[in-house]
Amino acid sequence: MTHANDPAVIERLMRTKGRWAIVGLSNNEWRSAYDVALYVRDRMGMEIIPVNLRGEDVHGETGYKTLGDIPAEKQPIDVVDCFVNSSRVGAVIDQAIAAGAKAVWLQLGVNDDAAVERAKAAGLDVVLNTCPAREGWHYGL
C-alpha cells in the first residue's frame, strides 16, 4: 500500500514541543543525521535522544543503543526519526511501537511498506521520505 504524508500531521509534529529519538545519530559529522538533529533541537526546540549502535552521546545528549534502552524518565517518545537503511527500519519501527512512541518519521529514501503498515495499525503517525529540516521552511522554522 502506498503511504501519502498528511501535511497536517507534519505540521503538528514539527510545531508541538516534544521528545525526538533520532535513530542512526552518531558523532559522524558527514552523516545527515548529525546536522538534522541540531535543527530539530535548536531550531524546532525539541528534546533529542541519540540512538546508535554504540550508544554514544551526541551533541551533549545521552545516547542509547536501542529505543528499548531509553529510561522511563525519558518517556514518552513523541517521534522516532529514522536515519537507518531501509533493510533495518522495520526493526526500528517495531521498537518504536513497543516503546509506545507516538510517531515515526522515515528520512529521505528510507522505506519498508510492511513496517509502515504495522506502525499505522498500532496508531502511530507516519511521515515518509522527507526531512524535518527540509520541511521547516514551510512552517517558518
Side-chain angles (χ1 to χ4, degrees):
M1 176 178 276
T2 303
H3 172 80
N5 289 333
D6 181 342
V9 168
I10 292 172
E11 182 172 13
R12 178 173 41 79
L13 295 177
M14 292 190 66
R15 289 194 181 281
T16 304
K17 299 301 179 222
R19 186 174 287 132
W20 287 46
I22 303 181
V23 181
L25 172 58
S26 71
N27 284 305
N28 183 343
E29 296 177 20
W30 294 100
R31 298 204 41 153
S32 299
Y34 189 84
D35 289 326
V36 172
L38 287 174
Y39 182 88
V40 169
R41 185 185 71 185
D42 299 344
R43 293 289 302 267
M44 292 171 53
M46 306 298 174
E47 177 183 347
I48 63 167
I49 302 171
V51 179
N52 56 69
L53 295 174
R54 295 181 188 158
E56 65 186 355
D57 297 351
V58 184
H59 300 312
E61 307 292 344
T62 302
Y64 301 91
K65 290 183 179 181
T66 69
L67 293 171
D69 292 336
I70 298 171
E73 62 268 13
K74 293 280 189 175
Q75 304 285 345
I77 299 167
D78 296 296
V79 178
V80 175
D81 193 356
C82 301
F83 283 91
V84 297
N85 188 286
S86 293
S87 65
R88 292 187 49 227
V89 79
V92 173
I93 288 175
D94 292 340
Q95 289 178 32
I97 294 167
K102 298 174 186 171
V104 290
W105 188 304
L106 282 67
Q107 288 291 323
L108 295 162
V110 178
N111 191 19
D112 178 331
D113 289 335
V116 165
E117 291 307 313
R118 290 193 303 273
K120 289 180 186 179
L124 279 70
D125 287 320
V126 175
V127 177
L128 182 65
N129 201 37
T130 192
C131 176
R134 179 182 247 185
E135 294 291 328
W137 71 274
H138 290 293
Y139 307 107
L141 299 172

